[in-house]
Amino acid sequence: MDDPVVDSFPQDQDNDSKTIMVGSGVRLEGRIDGAQNADVAGTLSGTLKSSTINIDSTGNFSGDMSGNDITISGQVEGDISSENYLTVNQSATVKGTIEYASLQVSYGAKIQGTLRHRGSVHSYSPEPVEQPTENDQVSE
Amino acid sequence: MSIFGSNEKKAEETTTYFFNADKDTVNQSTLAKDIKIHGSVEAKDYIEFSGSITGTLKSSTVNLKPSSYVKGTVTGDTVTVEGEVDGDIQAKDVYIKSTAKIKGTIRYTNIDIQNGSIINADLFYSS
């Protein structure tokens, strides 16, 4: 039936159960929604929505992630959307589009892609209108 | 202090300034707040830039102070941005401070970004 889509992040602080952990060596694919905390030390591919996201140095994420506070120490390929603090540590490798409000990148981190600041003149709506480019190449 | 006359309101023509480096001393070129340049500035060791430039800045170390505005290209081994850049930044080490506003392209080997900076740019990493 109706699939309730959580489009705001849960704010209740006391609920420890809204935590998803992907341990080192574990591989998980799919869509995660409505989490308060997400801790990825293994491999996760898919869509991840969580208030707080932490990609450990052993973690590997591919897909789309969105959250308030995001910390990346591992490998990420895909789109990152952070509504508050985004921290990219020295050991991190990030490929993709990053939308952020407040960004801190440590010396040594590797970022390949596009940075977009939320609230800028050039900010983007949550559902960006796709713009055709001259060399339009759709890679899946 | 400006090394150019402070009553120079605006450089109307495209001009190229060269700061010839002496081998034995560290050369520091400081371009003050009220200076406006259309053209290119090139130095061997160090440029501290507080003014406004449309064109290119090139030096081993480029320090763009909070009041600076660059429309064009900044090239160096180490580039520190505290001001506004609209264009390309290319350096081995790029330091982006909290007051920085950057639009364009950043090509780097090492990058360090502080909270508060506003960056709308494409980042290219190369080792």
Side-chain angles (χ1 to χ4, degrees):
Chain A
M1 302 300 283
D2 272 5
D3 183 19
V5 177
V6 182
D7 41 20
S8 62
F9 300 106
Q11 293 300 323
D12 41 334
Q13 302 291 323
D14 303 330
N15 200 338
D16 289 338
S17 61
K18 287 183 175 173
T19 296
I20 176 149
M21 288 185 69
V22 180
S24 178
V26 175
R27 188 176 168 81
L28 178 67
E29 286 178 35
R31 176 174 169 225
I32 295 157
D33 209 334
Q36 178 75 29
N37 302 298
D39 203 333
V40 179
T43 302
L44 173 62
S45 53
T47 307
L48 173 59
K49 264 188 173 185
S50 174
S51 179
T52 303
I53 297 172
N54 183 37
I55 308 292
D56 287 5
S57 55
T58 56
N60 196 313
F61 178 88
S62 60
D64 298 340
M65 70 163 81
S66 57
N68 287 326
D69 298 326
I70 299 176
T71 305
I72 296 166
S73 308
Q75 318 263 322
V76 173
E77 194 167 343
D79 292 348
I80 300 169
S81 175
S82 164
E83 287 184 11
N84 197 19
Y85 285 107
L86 173 61
T87 307
V88 180
N89 288 324
Q90 193 184 347
S91 53
T93 304
V94 179
K95 248 184 197 174
T97 301
I98 298 171
E99 201 175 304
Y100 74 97
S102 185
L103 172 69
Q104 198 215 307
V105 177
S106 297
Y107 185 93
K110 298 175 181 71
I111 301 176
Q112 189 99 26
T114 304
L115 292 183
R116 291 171 185 164
H117 180 258
R118 284 174 176 275
S120 288
V121 188
H122 304 278
S123 72
Y124 291 76
S125 55
E127 299 288 327
V129 180
E130 283 190 21
Q131 291 177 344
T133 51
E134 286 111 332
N135 43 354
D136 210 350
Q137 41 184 340
V138 181
S139 55
E140 284 291 9
Chain B
M1 280 294 288
S2 168
I3 59 164
F4 299 107
S6 59
N7 54 356
E8 185 185 348
K9 289 273 185 326
K10 191 177 179 181
E12 298 288 348
E13 314 142 28
T14 301
T15 320
T16 304
Y17 301 93
F18 285 102
F19 302 98
N20 290 319
D22 189 321
K23 276 178 197 161
D24 300 332
T25 55
V26 173
N27 290 276
Q28 177 168 333
S29 304
T30 304
L31 303 175
K33 215 173 178 175
D34 58 344
I35 199 157
K36 283 182 184 160
I37 298 169
H38 292 252
S40 70
V41 174
E42 207 169 309
K44 191 186 172 196
D45 291 327
Y46 183 90
I47 298 177
E48 185 172 290
F49 189 72
S50 303
S52 149
I53 183 168
T54 304
T56 63
L57 270 175
K58 192 176 177 182
S59 179
S60 178
T61 302
V62 181
N63 222 330
L64 302 172
K65 305 306 282 180
S67 59
S68 65
Y69 175 77
V70 179
K71 191 174 171 63
T73 307
V74 183
T75 313
D77 289 333
T78 303
V79 171
T80 304
V81 183
E82 294 177 88
E84 200 173 333
V85 177
D86 186 350
D88 296 342
I89 297 168
Q90 192 166 351
K92 191 172 150 283
D93 290 336
V94 178
Y95 295 91
I96 298 170
K97 304 294 186 186
S98 59
T99 49
K101 272 179 86 175
I102 297 171
K103 208 172 99 183
T105 306
I106 304 169
R107 291 171 204 278
Y108 70 97
T109 303
N110 294 298
I111 196 162
D112 185 292
I113 302 173
Q114 275 186 1
N115 269 331
S117 54
I118 296 171
I119 308 168
N120 287 290
D122 290 329
L123 267 63
F124 296 99
Y125 162 80
S126 67
S127 51

